[in-house]
Amino acid sequence: MKVVELGSYGATDQLQIAERPEPAATPGRVLVRVAAAPVNPVDLAIRAGALAGLLGDVSFPLELGWEFAGRVLADEGSFTAGQRVAGVLPWFATRSGTYAEVISVDPSWLAPIPDGIDDVTASAVPLNALTARQALDALALSPGATLLVTGASGAVGGYAVQLATAAGLHVMAVASTDDEAYVAALGAKEVFGRPESAAELARAALEVAPDGVDAVFDPAGLGGALIGAVRAGGGFATPVARAVPTAERDIRVVNVRVSPEAGQIGELLQAAAAGTISPRIAGTLPLAEAAIAHARAGATRGKLVLI
Ligand SMILES: NC(=O)c1ccc[n+]([C@@H]2O[C@H](COP(=O)([O-])OP(=O)(O)OC[C@H]3O[C@@H](n4cnc5c(N)ncnc54)[C@H](OP(=O)(O)O)[C@@H]3O)[C@@H](O)[C@H]2O)c1
């Protein structure tokens, strides 16, 4: 099978297509022929070596890629050959990736793709919608509560706006330049332009909610002074470990780390099929062009997906 290998930490030219034997069938694991594998910021960070300290000893070549959609290759448990599935790997534990033609997956990391949603669209749900879902669960806000979401033009933030709106929260969100209409259409009641700093955004939010918002979800990783936008006793969640603010005024600060959970992945795929959440796809590229996808990924609105 074809697989994209990362030869060493570095630039995009470290990504090379290679041939390898397919993973062997193992009891209790689902073999999946991958149809679509999105490129995510974490893949770029791993490739560049930005997470080398966290990863410690690694043996190259590495495989990248956290999420996927594809078809089950052989019956296993409740999964049947030919069934369409999508899921997410706990990559930091597996250190094997989805930029490959065939992968071996634990059944708790994937769920069936419902009718009405194609493979490319489904592939862009598990990692980032699950992160948004688990952040909102951690914040445990009641309907009517105010939530400020950063990075709402991006995947995690965009899903958070949609899921929070569907849950009856009053959402304020930060859009990228000239992307305000897109973020408003996701359900945000107030849309802020891209701020110069976390402090500037906190000030803008306090003009709308003088007592502070009930919570902030910060996938843009602004951190720091943005906690000033939260009311005393509120919540602050971020999926960006380097941008966890210091807790103050009894605000609960949570560093969200996505955890594959088949039931939630299934619910989110259903939500995508029903149109409650809409994955943002910038385009597709062949698996062999992973290096080109990495070169373009930082500049797109929406995910590039390897097919
Ligand atoms: N901990 C976990 O389990 C977990 C899981 C999934 C994702 N993540 C992390 O979550 C983050 C978001 O992921 P994603 O897939 O949503 O990324 P994405 O699609 O690239 O979106 C990131 C968004 O943040 C915005 N942003 C970045 N820097 C900003 C700044 N200084 N001010 C305002 N906006 C800024 C970007 O706006 P522009 O386009 O204008 O730059 C973009 O809209 C990444 O760091 C990712 O690694 C963590």
Side-chain angles (χ1 to χ4, degrees), residues 265-277:
I265 295 168
E267 288 169 13
L268 292 163
L269 290 167
Q270 293 284 355
T276 311
I277 56 171

Side-chain angles (χ1 to χ4, degrees), residues 13-195:
D13 61 358
Q14 289 302 322
L15 294 170
Q16 301 284 346
I17 197 88
E19 281 288 340
R20 273 201 215 164
E22 290 184 5
T26 314
R29 303 276 292 194
V30 184
L31 282 180
V32 176
R33 181 167 297 282
V34 176
V39 172
N40 279 293
V42 67
D43 303 330
L44 275 61
I46 293 168
R47 189 209 75 229
L51 304 183
L54 177 72
L55 293 177
D57 287 338
V58 296
S59 53
F60 291 102
L62 272 181
E63 294 161 43
L64 302 180
W66 283 61
E67 55 184 344
F68 65 93
R71 276 169 185 66
V72 174
L73 276 176
D75 292 358
E76 174 59 49
S78 63
F79 294 99
T80 53
Q83 189 175 20
R84 297 197 312 138
V85 289
V88 58
L89 309 184
W91 192 95
F92 289 130
T94 63
R95 304 200 177 184
S96 63
T98 60
Y99 297 4
E101 286 185 319
V102 180
I103 57 175
S104 169
V105 187
D106 187 283
S108 66
W109 305 338
L110 79 170
I113 301 174
D115 291 340
I117 172 172
D118 62 56
D119 292 342
V120 168
T121 306
S123 74
V125 170
L127 172 64
N128 297 308
L130 196 57
T131 304
R133 166 82 279 144
Q134 291 176 353
L136 293 173
D137 289 350
L139 289 170
L141 299 167
S142 301
T146 48
L147 174 69
L148 172 63
V149 179
T150 68
S153 293
V156 179
Y159 285 129
V161 171
Q162 293 172 88
L163 291 168
T165 299
L169 304 186
H170 180 109
V171 180
M172 310 174 191
V174 181
S176 295
T177 307
D178 296 332
D179 205 38
E180 289 82 357
Y182 171 82
V183 171
L186 297 179
K189 292 282 197 302
E190 284 90 21
V191 179
F192 299 104
R194 203 179 193 285

